Amino acid sequence: KDNVQTKDEL
Amino acid sequence: MNIFRLSGDLSHLLAVIILVLKIWTTRSCAGISGKSQILFAIVYVTRYLDLVTTFVSVYNTSMKVIFIGASFATIYLMYSKFKATYDHNHDSFRIEFLLAPTVILALLINQKFTVLEVLWTFSIYLESVAILPQLFMVSKTGEAESITSHYLFALGSYRGLYLLNWIYRYYAEDHYELIAIVSGIVQTVLYCDFFYLYITKVLKGKKLQLPA
């Protein structure tokens, strides 16, 4: 699983 | 976008709207912590700096603009327009005790040591504890108006719903973000006591009053 940034969230 | 994420955002939106409307229609900000509101303004500004660097969607941009706008509107109403109704004496939480540790933590634990990334991380950490001055105020006065309780419930539910969103995304999209998840858990846990009182009292038509 990728630990990626959730920058599409608020 | 999934149902948990959407419900979380709508709950968040509902919370900020309830707060502005409550202050506007009652012409009073009694029972609201100005310090929590200042912390939320810091959270929104430091997190949504990417408004000027990246475009995600119209939805994303509109929500960010609304949250920043509502936050500043609330502060204006509290510290200027209805200043006389602001309850200073009960809003005595020292915010430097939240700001200092979250700044340090963001500098130490982040994904990338860049200005935007550290500020984003700081906003996530700060948001998780930003409600403490408000909860402290409620515990100090021992009660909260119903509308303030509804505000707190909507605001607390939002990150709880995000937790469900993250569980969903972990399985459906192989996607997770540890900093946000851990902070989201902390944030939701801080509301647990309040959620209990809200469900057992406010939803049964009683005023939220803490046991003496």
Side-chain angles (χ1 to χ4, degrees):
Chain A
K1 309 258 174 185
D2 292 327
N3 182 12
V4 285
Q5 292 287 6
T6 45
K7 291 294 169 56
D8 56 324
E9 295 184 343
L10 294 162
Chain B
M1 183 65 78
N2 55 65
I3 188 70
F4 306 114
R5 161 76 198 282
L6 183 64
S7 333
D9 285 349
L10 293 180
S11 180
H12 192 183
L13 188 64
L14 183 68
V16 298
I17 291 173
I18 288 177
L19 185 61
V20 172
L21 283 183
K22 173 211 142 60
I23 300 175
W24 186 256
T25 54
T26 62
R27 325 296 286 173
S28 162
C29 58
I32 302 297
S33 163
K35 292 186 172 171
S36 278
Q37 294 311 314
I38 289 173
L39 295 179
F40 283 122
I42 299 173
V43 165
Y44 296 133
V45 170
T46 51
R47 183 164 328 156
Y48 301 156
L49 285 173
D50 64 353
L51 266 175
V52 289
T53 61
T54 31
F55 177 78
V56 180
S57 63
V58 172
Y59 172 85
N60 193 281
T61 302
S62 333
M63 289 299 236
K64 287 173 174 172
V65 170
I66 294 173
F67 290 139
I68 295 177
S71 170
F72 279 92
T74 305
I75 289 178
Y76 163 72
L77 294 177
M78 291 192 74
Y79 286 93
S80 177
K81 196 161 175 64
F82 303 124
K83 197 177 166 185
T85 62
Y86 171 46
D87 196 0
H88 283 278
N89 299 333
H90 288 125
D91 196 12
S92 49
F93 196 96
R94 302 274 298 270
I95 54 173
E96 51 274 37
F97 291 150
L98 300 178
L99 285 167
T102 47
V103 166
I104 294 167
L105 202 60
L107 288 168
L108 295 175
I109 305 174
N110 54 61
Q111 278 207 1
K112 247 191 309 182
F113 199 73
T114 60
V115 175
L116 275 185
E117 193 60 34
V118 170
L119 286 173
W120 180 87
T121 311
F122 161 68
S123 86
I124 294 286
Y125 293 150
L126 184 62
E127 185 189 348
S128 68
V129 291
I131 201 60
L132 286 177
Q134 178 65 60
L135 295 176
F136 179 72
M137 195 169 177
V138 172
S139 74
K140 231 182 153 189
T141 56
E143 57 179 38
E145 285 177 51
S146 300
I147 190 75
T148 307
S149 310
H150 299 324
Y151 160 70
L152 281 170
F153 184 75
L155 192 64
S157 308
Y158 132 72
R159 221 52 178 173
L161 289 162
Y162 257 68
L163 290 179
L164 300 178
N165 157 53
W166 290 324
I167 293 172
Y168 175 87
R169 293 189 75 174
Y170 179 79
Y171 290 106
E173 299 166 26
D174 272 4
H175 172 111
Y176 74 98
E177 157 60 60
L178 217 48
I179 288 175
I181 293 172
V182 174
S183 309
I185 293 173
V186 170
Q187 185 166 340
T188 307
V189 165
L190 292 182
Y191 283 89
C192 282
D193 196 33
F194 167 79
F195 284 152
Y196 175 77
L197 289 171
Y198 184 83
I199 291 164
T200 55
K201 295 200 170 171
V202 183
L203 288 186
K204 289 180 181 150
K206 283 184 267 178
K207 195 179 162 123
L208 190 132
Q209 244 166 341
L210 300 183

